[in-house]
Amino acid sequence: MEARLSPQRPSGLDRNKLRLLGLIIAAFGMLGRGILQNRVLGMASGTDLAALLESSADAMNAATAAIILWVIEGTAVPIFTLLTVDGFQRTASVKNYLFRLLLLAVVSEVPFHFALTGRLLNPSPRNPVFGLVLVVVMLYLLRYYDGNTVKHVFIRILVLFTACLWAGIGQVEYGVPMVLMAFFLYTLRQRHTMALFAASAAALVCTVGNPLFMFAPFGFLLAHFYNGEEGRASPRLLQYALYPVLLLLIGLAGVLLF
């Protein structure tokens, strides 16, 4: 039986609670970017926001709040990456699990752009669920080529590189960090603490491309308390529908308020 990343604990955060916590954090980030940054300030990037920190008091306050919420959003990325790795390990059918994530990614694309920009379609970026799809594909290949031979190690490194490449080419938001963190979480799954430490280090490396990702490793502090239990049963449709519904609500709030 394959070693599981999440250890069994008598207490802690179950899967449903950790997922809900991640959704709340992600929603705060989208509020900061979709409403404060794009609607209130009319800024297109975090660099533009930083320039406002020396502007008028009102603009500075709004920019500061938007940056704080964006930084907080980054802590949700490790949470969903860990849940996806664990979901891959516990699922009875990788094919069905991948299909559900891919369907969620497609369904969430329009709500994602609506919440972020107020438009239904936007050239970039792709919503982060596509990054989780890449993670599952990568994990499937890593499992297939498990082993310590030179050939298998080379193939696993090639799979990691290819997944990162596709995340970059597809302009998937948080795609490369998700792939890197998932690689270490799965590869070091037999050593839970080391896996979290290595994934945190990978997250820190990703701040080179996005300085606002600097607090993402703190997401692993929350993930550390994941007890591996499913938690109170809830309809699967509800679990998957919460993300696009939250995005739609944020988008509607932006339209109605501004």
Side-chain angles (χ1 to χ4, degrees):
M1 183 177 179
E2 185 181 41
R4 289 277 298 282
L5 171 64
S6 56
Q8 297 293 324
R9 292 193 179 99
S11 61
L13 296 171
D14 59 49
R15 187 176 181 84
N16 287 333
K17 290 178 181 177
L18 189 59
R19 183 193 297 114
L20 181 59
L21 182 60
L23 284 171
I24 293 172
I25 294 172
F28 277 123
M30 292 302 292
L31 283 170
R33 291 194 288 156
I35 294 183
L36 287 178
Q37 178 182 328
N38 290 329
R39 302 298 181 90
V40 176
L41 298 171
M43 298 288 102
S45 70
T47 303
D48 297 330
L49 281 176
L52 287 178
L53 295 179
E54 299 179 0
S55 185
S56 65
D58 290 341
M60 182 179 67
N61 291 336
T64 301
I67 289 174
I68 291 173
L69 290 174
W70 198 344
V71 169
I72 291 173
E73 181 188 13
T75 62
V77 180
I79 291 175
F80 286 108
T81 303
L82 182 140
L83 288 176
T84 301
V85 173
D86 187 65
F88 169 81
Q89 292 184 278
R90 71 166 64 219
T91 186
S93 172
V94 174
K95 179 180 177 181
N96 291 340
Y97 185 52
L98 179 61
F99 175 76
R100 291 194 298 270
L101 279 177
L102 181 59
L103 182 61
L104 175 61
V106 173
V107 170
S108 300
E109 186 68 2
V110 170
F112 176 76
H113 292 295
F114 183 50
L116 196 59
T117 66
R119 297 190 294 270
L120 297 182
L121 293 175
N122 200 48
S124 63
R126 304 278 75 76
N127 78 79
V129 183
F130 281 107
L132 299 180
V133 172
L134 286 173
V135 164
V136 173
V137 174
M138 178 187 71
L139 295 180
Y140 175 79
L141 293 173
L142 292 179
R143 175 187 283 177
Y144 187 82
Y145 290 104
D146 192 21
N148 295 322
T149 65
V150 174
K151 175 183 176 181
H152 284 186
V153 171
F154 174 78
I155 291 176
R156 291 202 300 273
I157 294 174
L158 182 62
V159 167
L160 172 63
F161 175 79
T162 304
C164 289
L165 185 64
W166 276 109
I169 292 174
Q171 294 183 298
V172 179
E173 187 163 78
Y174 300 123
V176 173
M178 285 179 176
V179 167
L180 288 173
M181 289 187 291
F183 178 83
F184 289 108
L185 288 174
Y186 184 75
T187 302
L188 300 173
R189 60 193 179 278
Q190 295 182 353
R191 301 179 179 180
H192 181 257
T193 302
M194 185 178 293
L196 295 182
F197 179 81
S200 299
L204 285 176
V205 170
C206 292
T207 60
V208 174
N210 181 8
L212 294 179
F213 200 62
M214 68 180 80
F215 285 99
F218 284 98
F220 284 113
L221 291 178
L222 299 173
H224 180 74
F225 295 100
Y226 176 46
N227 60 16
E229 299 294 334
E230 185 65 30
R232 186 174 181 179
S234 58
R236 180 173 287 172
L237 179 60
L238 177 62
Q239 297 174 14
Y240 283 88
L242 278 176
Y243 181 62
V245 168
L246 278 174
L247 293 176
L248 283 174
L249 291 175
I250 292 171
L252 287 173
V255 170
L256 294 175
L257 294 175
F258 303 96

